């Protein structure tokens, strides 16, 4: 399907693995059971992944040009793959979310840039696997070799190598500029501990929120009788039947094992995982449905999330996309692209009205620019192109004004 376009003219290797083995290899990280499928069972992890990838992918692109001191919106062929359809099978949003999701989990997200014969970008195709990275000693060019399952002939693997110029590369975190580090690496211990705690909690509460006990009987029982007695007792007095009155005969005596108040409330300690995921990803705790919440503090934290968490990612994305997608001539002509982070800070109608009033009053915006931000048409006859200034302001060196 879509990957066959990327791996066109690729080499083919054969192996004896099943389809399940192939996909398990793709998603496996250092041979551990910490995979996206497993850790997404943790609510805080799933929420952080959703919030970051959706926030980055949902921001609209702006294609602009520097013309002296002016910054103008321009029409460009990149508009279609960036804003409408990244490739034959994916919307622009879906393709970007896939790139950012790969980086969130594994450290780096990749997309193949498919160009026309004239060099224009036609499609952006995310590659959902991690590559082997090598450097050609003859020319010091770095190559990225991807291996994906053949969707037509199961048991086969398609491989192809790309240079950096053929790929969009986004790293969630990196210490050397080459290898990315994702949450599966950064927060491995935290997520592993919480998965174990979650598994323990499931067993704990499925047993009626109590530990096992000891049944004493007079005399000696064989192994079969012991197993039969244990099975019968669990069937009658655990799960949905927990806390019912037990009636024992033949001199049997049941002694429950004790549990401390601290152990019974251990689930509260899992709050630590939420805090840790918040620290690793930069997603505010209130967005993970944790901690005390108020409208004023949440609004400030939303601003902090955009400025301190998303902005470093946006700078990397904008620089990479501009360098890889524009031609040298486009860059010389002052063309650049940027994500409109203001879309995440729209606020309430009242807050936006106050903001626009202030911007209009100092001639920072005109009516048509305000209407464009609100997805409205310009005023007729160019009326919205006028700039206005409050008469209450005057230059400090204008004596007549005072």
């Amino acid at each position: 399907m879509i990957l066959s376009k990327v791996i066109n003219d690729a080499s083919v290797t054969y192996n004896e693995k099943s389809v399940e083995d192939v996909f398990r290899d793709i998603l496996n990280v250092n041979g551990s059971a910490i995979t996206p499928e497993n850790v997404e069972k943790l609510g805080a992890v799933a929420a952080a992944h959703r919030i970051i990838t959706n926030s980055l992918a949902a921001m609209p692109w702006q294609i602009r040009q520097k013309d002296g001191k002016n910054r103008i919106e321009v029409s460009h062929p990149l508009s279609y793959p960036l804003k409408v359809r990244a490739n034959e099978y994916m919307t622009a949003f879906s393709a970007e979310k896939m790139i950012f999701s790969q980086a969130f989990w594994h450290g780096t997200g990749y997309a193949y840039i498919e160009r026309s014969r004239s060099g224009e970008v036609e499609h952006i195709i995310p590659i959902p696997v991690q590559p082997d990275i090598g450097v050609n000693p003859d020319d010091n060019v770095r190559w990225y070799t991807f291996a994906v399952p053949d969707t037509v002939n199961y048991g086969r693997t398609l491989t192809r190598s790309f240079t950096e110029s053929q790929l969009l590369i986004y790293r969630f975190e990196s210490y050397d500029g080459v290898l990315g580090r994702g949450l599966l690496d950064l927060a491995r211990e935290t997520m592993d501990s919480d998965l174990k705690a979650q598994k323990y909690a499931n067993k704990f509460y499925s047993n009626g929120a109590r530990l096992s006990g000891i049944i004493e009987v007079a005399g000696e029982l064989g192994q079969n009788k012991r197993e039969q007695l244990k099975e019968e007792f669990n069937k009658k007095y655990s799960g949905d039947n927990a806390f019912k009155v037990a009636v024992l005969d033949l001199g049997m005596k049941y002694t429950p094992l004790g549990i401390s108040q601290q152990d019974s409330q251990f689930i509260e300690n899992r709050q630590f995982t939420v805090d840790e995921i918040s620290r690793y990803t930069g997603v505010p705790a209130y967005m993970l449905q944790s901690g005390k919440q108020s409208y004023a503090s949440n609004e400030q934290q939303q601003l902090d999330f955009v400025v301190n968490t998303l902005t470093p990612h946006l700078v990397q994305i904008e620089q990479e996309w501009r360098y890889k997608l524009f031609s040298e001539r486009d860059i010389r002509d002052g063309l650049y692209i940027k994500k409109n982070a203001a879309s995440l800070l729209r606020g309430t109608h009242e807050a936006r009205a106050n903001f626009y009033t202030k911007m209009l009053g100092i001639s920072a915006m005109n009516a048509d620019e305000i209407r464009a931000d609100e997805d409205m048409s310009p005023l007729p006859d160019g009326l919205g192109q006028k700039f206005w200034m409050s008469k209450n302001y005057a230059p400090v060196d204008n004596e007549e004004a005072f």
Side-chain angles (χ1 to χ4, degrees):
M1 299 297 287
I2 186 170
L3 287 178
S4 64
K5 300 184 68 177
V6 180
I7 314 298
N8 188 28
D9 297 328
S11 59
V12 181
T13 59
Y14 295 82
N15 57 64
E16 300 299 327
K17 295 182 179 180
S18 65
V19 179
E20 292 78 7
D21 291 334
V22 172
F23 280 96
R24 188 180 299 112
D25 287 344
I26 293 174
L27 298 173
N28 194 30
V29 181
N30 295 333
S32 172
I34 302 299
T35 65
E37 289 78 8
N38 286 338
V39 298
E40 275 198 313
K41 297 174 183 177
L42 304 176
V45 177
H49 169 258
R50 182 185 68 250
I51 290 167
I52 287 184
T53 56
N54 283 352
S55 297
L56 292 173
M59 284 188 204
W61 282 106
Q62 294 177 316
I63 303 178
R64 317 197 77 177
Q65 184 176 24
K66 295 179 182 178
D67 183 14
K69 295 183 179 180
N70 297 323
R71 304 290 187 271
I72 57 176
E73 193 97 13
V74 297
S75 176
H76 193 276
L78 271 179
S79 294
Y80 189 81
L82 285 181
K83 300 180 180 181
V84 183
R85 203 77 182 172
N87 55 67
E88 184 180 356
Y89 300 92
M90 293 181 178
T91 62
F93 172 86
S94 299
E96 285 191 36
K97 182 177 172 67
M98 187 172 174
I99 298 170
F100 303 147
S101 181
Q102 280 287 308
F104 180 89
W105 295 123
H106 305 290
T108 312
Y110 300 89
Y112 170 62
I113 306 169
E114 186 176 64
R115 300 181 182 274
S116 65
R117 292 185 177 180
S118 61
E120 289 187 353
V121 176
E122 290 188 329
H123 300 111
I124 298 174
I125 305 174
I127 305 178
V129 293
Q130 296 297 300
D132 291 326
I133 304 175
V135 177
N136 187 336
D138 295 331
D139 54 15
N140 290 324
V141 173
R142 187 180 298 140
W143 288 85
Y144 297 79
T145 302
F146 296 87
V148 299
D150 187 344
T151 56
V152 177
N153 300 295
Y154 292 118
R156 297 184 183 181
T157 300
L158 304 176
T159 63
R160 183 177 173 184
S161 298
F162 302 95
T163 62
E164 286 208 19
S165 62
Q166 297 175 286
L167 300 170
L168 289 174
I169 303 175
Y170 162 68
R171 298 174 180 88
F172 185 77
E173 192 66 70
S174 179
Y175 301 144
D176 59 6
V178 178
L179 300 177
R181 299 192 69 191
L183 202 68
L184 294 179
D185 182 27
L186 297 171
R188 175 180 297 277
E189 298 298 330
T190 297
M191 293 186 295
D192 182 54
S193 297
D194 203 45
L195 281 172
K196 292 174 180 177
Q198 187 179 69
K199 185 176 181 180
Y200 177 80
N202 290 337
K203 291 184 177 180
F204 179 70
Y205 286 108
S206 66
N207 198 36
R210 62 174 178 79
L211 293 178
S212 302
I214 300 173
I215 300 177
E216 299 180 46
V217 297
E220 184 176 348
L221 296 178
Q223 183 65 29
N224 292 338
K225 289 292 184 180
R226 290 182 183 182
E227 293 296 331
Q228 183 179 358
L229 179 59
K230 182 174 67 173
E231 182 180 346
E232 189 68 22
F233 189 87
N234 286 333
K235 180 179 179 181
K236 288 187 176 182
Y237 302 113
S238 65
D240 293 338
N241 295 323
F243 307 112
K244 291 184 178 180
V245 177
V247 179
L248 305 177
D249 54 8
L250 300 176
M252 289 189 293
K253 178 182 177 182
Y254 177 75
T255 304
L257 295 179
I259 179 172
S260 68
Q261 185 69 12
Q262 182 178 2
D263 288 337
S264 66
Q265 295 178 354
F266 84 98
I267 198 67
E268 296 178 3
N269 296 330
R270 295 184 63 194
Q271 174 64 36
F272 174 75
T273 299
V274 179
D275 296 337
E276 284 291 274
I277 295 302
S278 177
R279 296 185 186 103
Y280 279 119
T281 61
V283 177
Y286 89 91
M287 298 182 78
L288 302 179
Q289 308 300 315
S290 177
K292 296 181 179 179
Q293 302 186 28
S294 67
Y295 178 79
S297 64
N298 288 356
E299 188 175 31
Q300 182 58 41
Q301 287 186 81
Q302 174 74 1
L303 176 61
D304 181 72
F305 172 63
V306 173
V307 173
N308 295 320
T309 300
L310 295 184
T311 297
H313 295 282
L314 292 175
V315 171
Q316 179 193 169
I317 293 167
E318 290 168 359
Q319 291 177 347
E320 174 77 1
W321 266 237
R322 184 192 186 206
Y323 180 74
K324 298 286 183 68
L325 299 181
F326 279 131
S327 66
E328 292 183 1
R329 179 179 178 180
D330 288 336
I331 295 176
R332 286 197 304 268
D333 290 342
L335 286 171
Y336 67 97
I337 54 177
K338 63 175 293 184
K339 287 274 194 177
N340 185 9
S343 61
L344 298 181
L345 300 172
R346 290 177 61 84
T348 63
H349 292 292
E350 181 180 2
R352 298 206 307 279
N354 292 334
F355 170 75
Y356 291 141
T357 299
K358 293 178 180 178
M359 297 296 283
L360 189 67
I362 61 174
S363 293
M365 299 179 73
N366 60 37
D368 280 355
E369 290 171 333
I370 293 173
R371 294 174 67 86
D373 280 355
E374 294 294 312
D375 200 25
M376 300 171 66
S377 300
L379 293 175
D381 302 323
L383 295 176
Q385 292 295 317
K386 294 183 178 181
F387 286 88
W388 300 85
M389 176 69 75
S390 172
K391 292 184 178 181
N392 295 328
Y393 298 95
V396 294
D397 58 353
N398 187 347
E399 298 181 357
E400 296 180 359
F402 301 98

